[in-house]
Amino acid sequence: MTKPALKAVGLTKRYGRHHALSDCTLDIPSGRVVGLVGPNGAGKTTTIKLLMNLIRPTHGRAFVMGADSRRLGPRAFERIGYVSENQRLPGWLTPDQLLDYIRPFYPTWDEALCRKLRADLGLTARTPLQSLSRGTRMKAALLASLAYRPELVVLDEPFTGLDPLVRDELIRALLELPGEHPCTVLVSSHDIEEIERLADWIAFIDRGRLVFAEPVPSLLSRFRLIEVTAPDGVTPTPVSAPGWLLQGTVGRILRFVDTDHASPGAMSRITLAYPSVEIRAVPLSLREIFVALARRPTSEGTPAVDS
């Protein structure tokens, strides 16, 4: 059986009394493009730093390509590409000098791929990195992390502050990367529009807790916006049920999100709670799901789904 690309068991990081990440259990198969999404401050960067052995967990364990994350070293990082929004590059080097410097460290360096990505990204600048725009520096960092065909690519908020054209170029480079050499991609972002274009798995983290991690088709199948329309002059009364996220009532229309609509009897439960009224179930986009989850009260949750 193929080992998961990323695995966490009870992973926890605490700073004093503050839990940056609490009891995270995650199991991601190889070859997936995983969007790690959640509001700002939700715990995405903490999760990535724990996986990459940049910080040590308070409790729990994580495994990256089968290896304990606490033992990741130079040999393991020959197989991992990592780019962070706050990543520091040697600013006195030009992009070409940066590539020349790091090339000998990676036995799997693919010069043909490097030239292709360089052309696709339009990375032609011959001035030091410190004098280039943030978007161009991000292109250089991405190119330097993809040219050796890593088995795992980890991107922490790579699109923050970039203009739409640069975002499109970065996304296109990622989408065209696998070819004959499939890899796993973990990209964290609070910008769900970009994640929608990339990911086939979604992991949602909020307030330091992993809410779910599952394939996109599974996620889309279980979330529905439910519209309950009462007769004229009647205001429907909200009903509380596990997995229902109230969106509000306007006039005689009540709306809530059912987070478990793919389960047997989901519609029967709704009609039982709201008899003799018009009920409509509307599919949601990833962005609409993200907004519904981000707006829910702290006391509410969503059913966990095995990954």
Side-chain angles (χ1 to χ4, degrees):
M1 185 176 180
T2 304
K3 292 181 180 179
L6 298 167
K7 184 179 181 68
V9 181
L11 197 61
T12 299
K13 181 62 179 179
R14 186 176 65 245
Y15 295 98
R17 295 183 178 181
H18 173 65
H19 281 73
L21 188 69
S22 299
D23 196 27
C24 173
T25 296
L26 178 70
D27 196 336
I28 300 296
S30 299
R32 305 295 184 180
V33 179
V34 183
L36 180 62
V37 301
N40 288 329
K44 302 185 297 296
T45 294
T46 297
T47 302
I48 286 179
K49 286 183 175 180
L50 288 167
L51 291 170
M52 292 293 97
N53 195 27
L54 298 177
I55 57 176
R56 290 299 180 102
T58 306
H59 301 293
R61 300 178 70 185
F63 300 88
V64 178
M65 297 184 297
D68 190 319
S69 65
R70 296 170 299 179
R71 296 189 176 92
L72 291 180
R75 294 297 296 274
F77 279 105
E78 291 177 2
R79 303 159 58 202
I80 300 172
Y82 173 70
V83 178
S84 167
E85 66 168 324
N86 297 318
Q87 189 166 345
R88 292 185 179 180
L89 298 175
W92 60 92
L93 297 180
T94 67
D96 281 347
Q97 290 171 336
L98 174 67
L99 297 175
D100 289 341
Y101 173 73
I102 66 175
R103 187 181 288 109
F105 293 101
Y106 297 97
T108 58
W109 187 276
D110 187 331
E111 191 58 33
L113 175 63
C114 180
R115 289 194 296 269
K116 181 181 185 304
L117 289 173
R118 191 173 185 273
D120 290 346
L121 292 170
L123 196 58
T124 58
R126 301 187 183 279
T127 53
L129 290 165
Q130 61 193 6
S131 65
L132 300 177
S133 67
R134 183 179 181 280
T136 303
R137 293 197 302 272
M138 184 61 71
K139 290 181 184 181
L142 186 66
L143 173 56
S145 297
L146 298 182
Y148 51 91
R149 291 197 177 275
E151 296 174 38
L152 172 65
V153 178
V154 178
L155 308 173
D156 187 10
E157 297 285 0
F159 309 118
T160 301
L162 301 183
D163 65 61
L165 180 59
V166 174
R167 291 186 183 202
D168 284 346
E169 291 171 337
L170 294 180
I171 289 172
R172 186 168 62 251
L174 286 169
L175 290 174
E176 295 176 354
L177 174 65
E180 298 177 358
H181 304 273
C183 68
T184 303
V185 178
L186 175 65
V187 52
S188 80
S189 180
H190 61 274
D191 193 334
I192 197 64
E193 283 84 359
E194 308 302 347
I195 294 297
E196 281 187 291
R197 300 167 60 186
L198 278 172
D200 53 26
W201 268 62
I202 296 292
F204 181 82
I205 190 167
D206 190 23
R207 304 177 183 105
R209 292 189 175 276
L210 182 70
V211 181
F212 57 77
E214 62 185 287
V216 168
S218 167
L219 180 61
L220 294 177
S221 71
R222 70 183 183 90
F223 275 76
R224 289 291 184 275
L225 174 65
I226 307 300
E227 291 188 346
V228 176
T229 303
D232 288 338
V234 177
T235 300
T237 302
V239 174
S240 178
W244 291 2
L245 307 178
L246 180 65
Q247 302 296 290
T249 303
V250 178
R252 61 193 185 98
I253 300 177
L254 178 145
R255 294 181 177 89
F256 65 91
V257 172
D258 182 3
T259 67
D260 195 23
H261 201 70
S263 65
M267 203 65 191
S268 296
R269 290 192 292 272
I270 296 171
T271 55
L272 184 63
Y274 297 99
S276 305
V277 296
E278 180 185 343
I279 297 173
R280 189 164 74 106
V282 182
L284 296 176
S285 66
L286 286 180
R287 182 183 184 281
E288 290 167 330
I289 291 172
F290 174 83
V291 170
L293 291 171
R295 287 178 174 173
R296 77 193 194 282
T298 305
S299 59
E300 292 190 35
T302 59
V305 173
D306 292 337
S307 58

